[in-house]
Amino acid sequence: MSRFRALAGVLRGGCAGGSRWLRGGPARRGCSSGAVPSAVASSSSYVEEMYFAWLQNPKNVHESWDAFFRNFHASSPSGEAGEGRPSTLLQDRVLSLSLDMTQKVVEDHLAVHTLIRAYQIRGHHIAQLDPLGILEADLDSFVPSDLITTIDKLGLYGLEESDLNRSFQLPPTTFIGGGNITLPLKEIIRRLETSYCGHIGVEFMFINNVDQCQWIRQKFETPGIMQFTNAEKRTLLARLIRSTRFEDFLARKWSSEKRFGLEGCEVLIPALKTIIDKSSAAGIDSVIMGMPHRGRLNVLANVIRKDLDQIFCQFDPKLEAADEGSGDVKYHLGMYHERINRETDKDITLSLMANPSHLEAVDPVVQGKAKAEQFYRGDSQGKKVMSILMHGDAAFAGQGVVYETFHLSELPSYTTHGTIHVVVNNQIGFTTDPRVARSSPYPTDVARVVNAPIFHVNADDPEAVMYVCRVAAEWRTAFNKDVVIDLVCYRRFGHNEMDEPMFTQPLMYKQIRRQEHVLKKYSDKLIAEGVVTLQEFEEEVAKYDKICEKAYTSSKDEKILHIRHWLDSPWPDFFTAEGEPKSMSCVPSGLEEEVLQHIGHTASSVPLEDFKIHPGVSRILRGRAELVKNRQLDWALAEYMALGSLLKDGIHVRLSGQDVERGTFSHRHHVLHDQEVDKRICVPMNHLWTNQAPYTVCNSSLSEYGVLGKTGALGLDDGYFLGGLCETVMPVISGFELGFAMANPNALILWEAQFGDFHNTAQCIIDQFISSGQAKWFRNNGIVLLLPHGMEGMGPEHSSARPERFLQMSNDDPDHFPDFSGDFEVHQLYDCNWIVVNCSTPANYCHVLRRQILLPFRKPLIIFTPKSLLRHPEARSSFDDLAEGTNFKRLISDEGPANHSPSQVKRVIFCTGKVYYELAKERKQQKLESDIAIIRLEQISPFPFDLVRGEMEKYDNAELVWCQEEHKNMGYYDYVRPRFLTVVANEKPIWYVGRDPAAAPATGNKSTHLNELRRFMDTAFNLSTFQGKDL
């Protein structure tokens, strides 16, 4: 009754003047001629007016009043009903019955409104999505009880079959009426089924934004909205021909080769081209894409428009590889291409990122590169640059990086302002049935966490697919949010062309073998409609076949396979036209005194007025000021010098990771927070120079995998910070930052782990992209990884950045003694796959960061950064160590008494990182400065053969020891030992001093930690330890 009273109140306020309604005058929404008697009618004057109108002509009133008066006349005593004025009996009957009638009508309307909402929410469950006709839309073949799949279900709403012809007023939350505001129930159900239960299933009612929901309703409910012109249909057919015939051509020419073809989802090619066309029309001129291996060659050929002969020559087993690296299989390669979009006649740049077989790993990399392009172009709203990600159904549901990447989509420093996700839903993963591969009904349910609409579509209905792609592109343009297209298709062959799927899915593949090709279905449809003729269709097929044959003939002329032809992120102005460095030298990385003083002053002050900082931060800034006064550097100040000086030279610097703004160990404080004004911040680094490059520092989500793969950027100006910076998961961040670093060689992109131990959740990005990316894909990248490392009794998860893993993947030959001609340092760096350092001084840390940009090429840089050394009183450098003309020291010699009398030295201890300070302290206490030399290896890989040989020649009478704080089976020993032996031609041993082998990287017991340290310190300085021993 409460709902009835509310509706009566609306009618009372909005439907005054019943006479106009009776005369058929115009009615407002909510007061239509389809309305029925309401509580407002319970007055004698109103009833009389209705009755007189009915007497004149029953059509003057609504059918419900007509039925009521007819029933009343039929039951009235003879003569009474014929009186000219309603009797008291009539009025009493009207008054007693109108409330009951109105309540019933209101309830029926509410029931119809609920029915409409049910289809909007759950209609996709019974949509006809599977082209094979085997499964319903979702995994469970779930049929919601509130959808009218049988006539008896009307009873759930209190309706009957006789109500099907009754007209009902439509709510404002639907567009099925078109120009009508009332429809018969039968037509309402039919239109809802057309909108939500056909070849398109729409999931959107979980979105908590009313305007966005209304936008989607309008796109799918409006009658006749999914219309295509004959020209659009012909274009669609032509694209489908190219997609299908390309796969047919490959199958004919290389029937026994793996190619991961697109058969069963040929509609993907016209789908992508439709997305690009619509986006180009909206102003997009750069699209970065990522995808798995299935269909990649087709996308390269027919979307990116890679030359066909370049693709075909990849199948030639006799083709020799150029001396550019290992290369990769053809279905992993990427491409960058600038061309004209034929539909819009606008320039468009398309980039398909190379990726490994690790499904979905490329997702954050794509996002990072897209973010970088947006940043450098000033595209703050994503109106010029966008990303498209393609997925397989099993990987989309199963890989956690997908979830992590979605969670970056709304973060201010990582958003790309909307990504269009296209899922090629094979309804199978390799041989695994979806019923045992996921718990969710759909593979796309992960997208619901960020309120991304999901459009499921039957891939055997090309026009439905094109319409969904059109809507998806318009959604991104309108709302700058992610959207998912679920192409429900099938895989005509097995996981690859050599696989036998009948072993595990016999019934599915029996149906697939009977399945008519989508090209045949659609061409027959258009021929029947008269859009094209059979001759025109056959001519179009023959035309593309001829193109393929011509390219095949041309491909035989290729003799050498060049990886550079498949580069997805070119730097044309950085390298020569042949992709080589413009020089092979590196200028000194030292700085002028004036620059050091200026940066030091800014680093120790607050450049904004009336900005209240925390007393603890104030104390840190005073400490910095004292250091600058004394011309000294600690670790934080050295980092300031490196980054600030690069900003002065126009180099954009981006530092991201978990807690990087303050620093995990509260040493950095690059973002100051006003203690009295919420969200007011100051970034002093952005106040160094008048025309400096921007400095971006941003706390990431707690995701190593994703963020490291997507090195992204957002300039945060001082003032009021809009949007929260949060912590996410490490893997995605790693991928993001890597992608960001691909966009611009003249930028320093750094990612810092909270603790170095945590990078192992980003191992896929490190192994597949950072370590081997240049060898596989000719892709240079200068990303810097800052990994806090050191054995300090903090337990097995807060001690080791696992240096052994990075060193194991380093490509320098341990048994080859190199030629030292030319600029050996630069040439050695050029030949390596990455650089691994463990600096022991702040000055060297500053130098290595600056050298990263000053080099004429780009290599990933892995830095094991300190923890306790951040505040260690001995870990200081003088401004003189950064003076003009100085450089990064790959090796730091002993500078004490041992250096002055090398012939008297009995033992040389080589080490790296923090353990040097413990060794130096112990040596001093035991007064062995003249007997034992301690040499620091600052650059571990590539190994500084030249400098190590010089030290060994200097101390030719001393025994050689490698000392590390890590366990023997970890750390650096297994890497450095064979290289030391190569330097001495295996004529002398290199003894090990350090912790014993262990399974865990560190102990969690403080006492055990100190006892281990004491034991190997005693070993290191006991000069008789190795006497008489064989290695």
Side-chain angles (χ1 to χ4, degrees):
M1 287 299 292
S2 62
R3 286 185 297 180
F4 165 69
R5 292 193 185 101
L7 181 59
V10 173
L11 291 171
R12 184 177 298 113
C15 300
S19 58
R20 186 177 63 174
W21 175 53
L22 291 170
R23 291 191 297 270
R28 288 174 290 173
R29 191 174 183 90
C31 316
S32 74
S33 59
V36 294
S38 68
V40 75
S42 301
S43 66
S44 65
S45 60
Y46 184 77
V47 172
E48 289 174 6
E49 186 176 1
M50 298 287 275
Y51 184 59
F52 286 132
W54 178 78
L55 287 176
Q56 293 172 6
N57 186 347
K59 293 183 179 180
N60 284 342
V61 299
H62 189 266
E63 59 187 17
S64 58
W65 280 113
D66 179 39
F68 172 74
F69 289 130
R70 289 184 187 278
N71 291 335
F72 171 73
H73 269 253
S75 62
S76 297
S78 63
E80 184 174 282
E83 295 180 6
R85 188 174 185 80
S87 65
T88 303
L89 177 62
L90 171 60
Q91 294 183 20
D92 290 342
R93 290 191 180 189
V94 170
L95 291 173
S96 63
L97 295 176
S98 60
L99 283 175
D100 294 335
M101 289 177 58
T102 301
Q103 183 172 354
K104 168 61 176 169
V105 171
V106 169
E107 289 175 351
D108 287 350
H109 271 72
L110 291 174
V112 171
H113 294 184
T114 303
L115 183 150
I116 292 171
R117 183 174 176 82
Y119 274 88
Q120 292 171 340
I121 297 173
R122 285 177 286 278
H124 56 85
H125 285 292
I126 59 172
Q128 306 303 304
L129 299 180
D130 183 8
L132 302 177
I134 297 174
L135 298 175
E136 298 295 338
D138 57 55
L139 200 57
D140 301 323
S141 299
F142 169 63
V143 178
S145 59
D146 52 358
L147 301 183
I148 311 303
T149 53
T150 58
I151 202 69
D152 60 293
K153 289 192 175 182
L154 286 171
L156 178 68
Y157 297 96
L159 301 170
E160 300 174 354
E161 185 174 359
S162 59
D163 293 316
L164 288 174
N165 293 318
R166 284 178 57 193
S167 293
F168 291 88
Q169 183 174 317
L170 300 173
T173 53
T174 186
F175 292 84
I176 60 173
N180 300 317
I181 55 179
T182 64
L183 286 176
L185 178 58
K186 181 189 297 183
E187 183 64 13
I188 289 174
I189 295 172
R190 188 192 71 78
R191 295 191 184 188
L192 289 171
E193 289 177 343
T194 300
S195 298
Y196 294 110
C197 307
H199 286 166
I200 298 174
V202 187
E203 283 189 273
F204 70 101
M205 289 293 283
F206 53 82
I207 297 174
N208 52 23
N209 183 295
V210 174
D211 292 337
Q212 292 172 9
C213 287
Q214 282 289 80
W215 188 92
I216 293 173
R217 291 186 186 109
Q218 187 271 331
K219 291 294 181 182
F220 288 97
E221 292 183 357
T222 303
I225 195 170
M226 198 176 81
Q227 298 292 331
F228 292 88
T229 65
N230 285 349
E232 290 172 330
K233 292 179 180 180
R234 292 170 71 94
T235 298
L236 171 52
L237 179 64
R239 290 171 171 178
L240 203 53
I241 287 172
R242 287 175 170 261
S243 175
T244 304
R245 298 303 292 178
F246 177 82
E247 299 295 349
D248 292 347
F249 185 84
L250 295 184
R252 289 197 308 273
K253 296 295 185 182
W254 298 282
S255 58
S256 61
E257 281 276 346
K258 287 183 183 180
R259 55 186 169 81
F260 295 95
L262 200 52
E263 289 95 338
C265 193
E266 293 90 344
V267 76
L268 175 66
I269 300 305
L272 292 175
K273 293 178 78 69
T274 297
I275 293 171
I276 293 169
D277 290 346
K278 290 296 295 183
S279 301
S280 174
I284 293 292
D285 59 24
S286 179
V287 180
I288 295 108
M289 294 185 284
M291 69 178 298
H293 37 279
R294 186 184 178 205
R296 175 175 286 265
L297 296 180
N298 208 324
V299 170
L300 284 166
N302 290 311
V303 177
I304 307 295
R305 305 303 289 272
K306 174 75 173 174
D307 291 341
L308 292 179
D309 56 344
Q310 290 290 321
I311 296 175
F312 294 158
C313 73
Q314 288 280 330
F315 289 90
D316 186 352
K318 298 178 182 179
L319 202 65
E320 296 182 9
D323 186 21
E324 298 169 340
S326 65
D328 203 347
V329 292
K330 49 189 166 291
Y331 39 81
H332 286 171
L333 299 176
M335 175 62 186
Y336 174 95
H337 188 47
E338 298 177 4
R339 63 178 178 84
I340 300 291
N341 182 276
R342 295 177 180 176
E343 293 298 309
T344 61
D345 199 31
K346 294 181 178 180
D347 291 331
I348 188 98
T349 299
L350 302 176
S351 177
L352 178 63
M353 305 298 289
N355 65 273
S357 286
H358 297 64
L359 297 174
E360 308 296 343
V362 76
D363 295 357
V365 182
V366 169
Q367 300 296 71
K369 187 182 178 189
K371 182 66 178 180
E373 286 200 16
Q374 291 173 351
F375 176 81
Y376 293 122
R377 295 183 59 182
D379 184 17
S380 60
Q381 298 299 318
K383 301 300 183 183
K384 296 294 183 183
V385 181
M386 69 174 287
S387 57
I388 299 175
L389 287 176
M390 286 157 274
H391 316 265
D393 53 316
F396 198 65
Q399 293 293 326
V401 67
V402 174
Y403 179 85
E404 295 179 35
T405 303
F406 267 117
H407 269 287
L408 296 180
S409 64
E410 299 292 330
L411 302 185
S413 296
Y414 299 93
T415 180
T416 55
H417 308 287
T419 297
I420 298 178
H421 301 263
V422 182
V423 178
V424 177
N425 187 349
N426 301 314
Q427 307 182 77
I428 186 175
F430 204 152
T431 65
T432 303
D433 190 278
R435 288 169 292 187
V436 296
R438 66 176 188 264
S439 298
S440 60
Y442 298 99
T444 53
D445 288 334
V446 64
R448 296 166 68 104
V449 300
V450 292
N451 284 329
I454 303 165
F455 304 144
H456 308 279
V457 59
N458 187 321
D460 265 14
D461 185 344
E463 291 183 9
V465 173
M466 295 313 105
Y467 183 73
V468 158
C469 292
R470 181 190 298 175
V471 173
E474 292 172 350
W475 165 272
R476 186 199 177 273
T477 300
F479 299 108
N480 292 116
K481 290 177 64 70
D482 283 25
V483 57
V484 176
I485 300 168
D486 179 19
L487 289 179
V488 184
C489 57
Y490 56 91
R491 196 183 60 197
R492 188 166 287 277
F493 302 110
H495 175 64
N496 59 64
E497 289 72 22
M498 302 297 100
D499 193 47
E500 176 50 77
M502 290 288 285
F503 290 153
T504 51
Q505 278 78 30
L507 298 181
M508 171 184 273
Y509 274 86
K510 284 179 182 178
Q511 176 59 40
I512 288 174
R513 288 175 180 177
R514 294 191 295 266
Q515 191 78 4
E516 193 173 37
H517 286 263
V518 66
L519 177 59
K520 178 68 166 59
K521 290 181 181 180
Y522 192 59
S523 61
D524 288 349
K525 176 179 181 290
L526 295 194
I527 291 170
E529 292 176 358
V531 176
V532 296
T533 64
L534 178 60
Q535 181 181 351
E536 289 173 329
F537 169 68
E538 291 175 344
E539 288 175 351
E540 189 70 24
V541 170
K543 176 183 174 182
Y544 188 70
D545 286 351
K546 184 177 180 180
I547 292 172
C548 290
E549 287 290 351
K550 183 178 179 181
Y552 175 69
T553 302
S554 175
S555 70
K556 294 181 178 180
D557 297 333
E558 295 288 339
K559 303 300 180 184
I560 298 177
L561 177 62
H562 291 279
I563 310 172
R564 68 184 65 198
H565 293 164
W566 299 80
L567 185 60
D568 58 18
S569 303
W571 296 338
D573 298 327
F574 187 71
F575 292 115
T576 65
E578 292 75 29
E580 299 296 328
K582 294 180 178 179
S583 71
M584 284 301 289
S585 61
C586 183
V587 300
S589 51
L591 295 166
E592 300 174 356
E593 178 75 17
E594 181 183 352
V595 172
L596 294 173
Q597 289 290 340
H598 178 75
I599 296 174
H601 173 74
T602 304
S604 57
S605 61
V606 182
L608 296 183
E609 296 181 359
D610 301 322
F611 194 95
K612 180 71 172 180
I613 60 175
H614 190 277
V617 176
S618 180
R619 184 169 58 253
I620 290 171
L621 297 188
R622 288 196 300 272
R624 286 182 187 169
E626 188 66 22
L627 285 172
V628 173
K629 179 181 177 182
N630 296 325
R631 300 184 68 255
Q632 286 192 321
L633 301 160
D634 64 1
W635 225 269
L637 197 52
E639 185 177 76
Y640 238 104
M641 297 297 181
L643 305 189
S645 59
L646 292 175
L647 295 173
K648 178 178 183 293
D649 295 335
I651 301 298
H652 168 235
V653 177
R654 173 182 168 91
L655 171 62
S656 83
Q658 299 144 11
D659 315 298
V660 296
E661 296 179 4
R662 190 202 73 174
T664 300
F665 310 103
S666 195
H667 68 290
R668 181 173 289 126
H669 294 283
H670 283 190
V671 178
L672 307 179
H673 294 260
D674 194 310
Q675 299 296 298
E676 295 179 350
V677 182
D678 187 33
K679 297 181 181 179
R680 189 181 183 217
I681 64 169
C682 173
V683 182
M685 196 83 78
N686 278 325
H687 293 264
L688 283 168
W689 322 97
T690 304
N691 296 314
Q692 70 172 68
Y695 174 57
T696 303
V697 56
C698 48
N699 290 341
S700 76
S701 85
L702 197 65
S703 168
E704 293 82 8
Y705 193 156
V707 175
L708 181 52
K710 176 185 180 184
T711 304
L714 177 71
L716 300 179
D717 295 329
D718 295 336
Y720 294 92
F721 177 57
L722 302 177
L725 293 176
C726 62
E727 302 180 8
T728 53
V729 185
M730 190 175 280
V732 178
I733 305 300
S734 62
F736 188 102
E737 300 302 332
L738 174 74
F740 199 100
M742 292 178 187
N744 182 8
N746 297 312
L748 183 66
I749 310 301
L750 309 99
W751 173 76
E752 182 176 68
Q754 191 178 63
F755 285 85
D757 314 60
F758 302 158
H759 80 76
N760 54 13
T761 61
Q763 203 66 49
C764 176
I765 296 294
I766 294 170
D767 291 359
Q768 306 305 323
F769 290 87
I770 300 178
S771 169
S772 56
Q774 182 176 358
K776 293 191 295 186
W777 307 316
F778 202 67
R779 177 197 286 167
N780 280 256
N781 198 294
I783 189 171
V784 179
L785 272 58
L786 305 178
L787 306 177
H789 171 83
M791 306 293 116
E792 295 171 358
M794 298 300 292
E797 275 74 56
H798 295 81
S799 298
S800 176
R802 296 287 190 174
E804 65 276 3
R805 293 181 178 172
F806 294 94
L807 296 173
Q808 183 187 41
M809 289 185 283
S810 296
N811 67 353
D812 59 329
D813 188 346
D815 303 318
H816 173 67
F817 195 73
D819 179 14
F820 298 150
S821 61
D823 192 334
F824 173 71
E825 177 182 352
V826 174
H827 280 83
Q828 191 186 34
L829 293 174
Y830 180 69
D831 291 336
C832 74
N833 62 317
W834 58 15
I835 305 164
V836 181
V837 304
N838 188 354
C839 301
S840 63
T841 70
N844 232 18
Y845 176 55
C846 177
H847 277 300
V848 79
L849 290 178
R850 285 183 48 76
R851 186 186 73 171
Q852 185 70 355
I853 290 296
L854 296 175
L855 285 170
F857 46 82
R858 294 291 174 261
K859 299 286 179 175
L861 173 62
I862 316 301
I863 305 179
F864 301 117
T865 55
K867 294 175 285 187
S868 61
L869 292 191
L870 296 174
R871 296 177 176 83
H872 197 292
E874 299 298 321
R876 296 285 187 271
S877 295
S878 166
F879 277 20
D880 293 336
D881 298 324
L882 286 180
E884 291 183 86
T886 58
N887 277 303
F888 172 71
K889 296 179 179 179
R890 293 175 291 149
L891 179 148
I892 299 179
S893 302
D894 192 303
E895 299 172 351
N899 184 50
H900 303 305
S901 302
S903 60
Q904 305 301 315
V905 172
K906 299 180 177 64
R907 175 177 292 176
V908 176
I909 298 177
F910 288 91
C911 65
T912 186
K914 176 181 74 72
V915 73
Y916 164 76
Y917 292 94
E918 290 158 335
L919 289 168
K921 179 181 178 182
E922 185 70 19
R923 181 179 64 173
K924 183 176 181 180
Q925 289 177 349
Q926 295 196 27
K927 299 180 179 177
L928 293 172
E929 288 98 332
S930 299
D931 299 305
I932 296 177
I934 303 176
I935 300 171
R936 287 170 271 177
L937 206 60
E938 301 283 289
Q939 178 179 294
I940 306 151
S941 179
F943 192 76
F945 285 98
D946 54 335
L947 301 181
V948 170
R949 184 177 71 172
E951 294 298 318
M952 289 184 173
E953 290 175 348
K954 180 193 298 185
Y955 303 104
D956 58 338
N957 296 324
E959 62 181 1
L960 307 178
V961 168
W962 173 261
C963 181
Q964 65 180 37
E965 58 181 348
E966 297 82 5
H967 292 281
K968 188 175 184 180
N969 58 322
M970 304 175 194
Y972 319 91
Y973 179 62
D974 285 339
Y975 175 85
V976 301
R977 180 178 179 273
R979 290 163 176 81
F980 275 119
L981 293 177
T982 296
V983 172
V984 297
N986 289 296
E987 294 178 357
K988 294 175 67 174
I990 176 80
W991 300 103
Y992 170 79
V993 172
R995 289 180 166 87
D996 294 335
T1003 178
N1005 182 277
K1006 190 73 173 180
S1007 175
T1008 301
H1009 165 76
L1010 294 175
N1011 289 336
E1012 290 173 344
L1013 176 63
R1014 182 69 265 158
R1015 277 197 298 271
F1016 80 74
M1017 282 292 147
D1018 290 344
T1019 302
F1021 293 100
N1022 183 348
L1023 294 176
S1024 63
T1025 298
F1026 304 111
Q1027 291 180 4
K1029 288 187 177 182
D1030 292 328
L1031 187 62

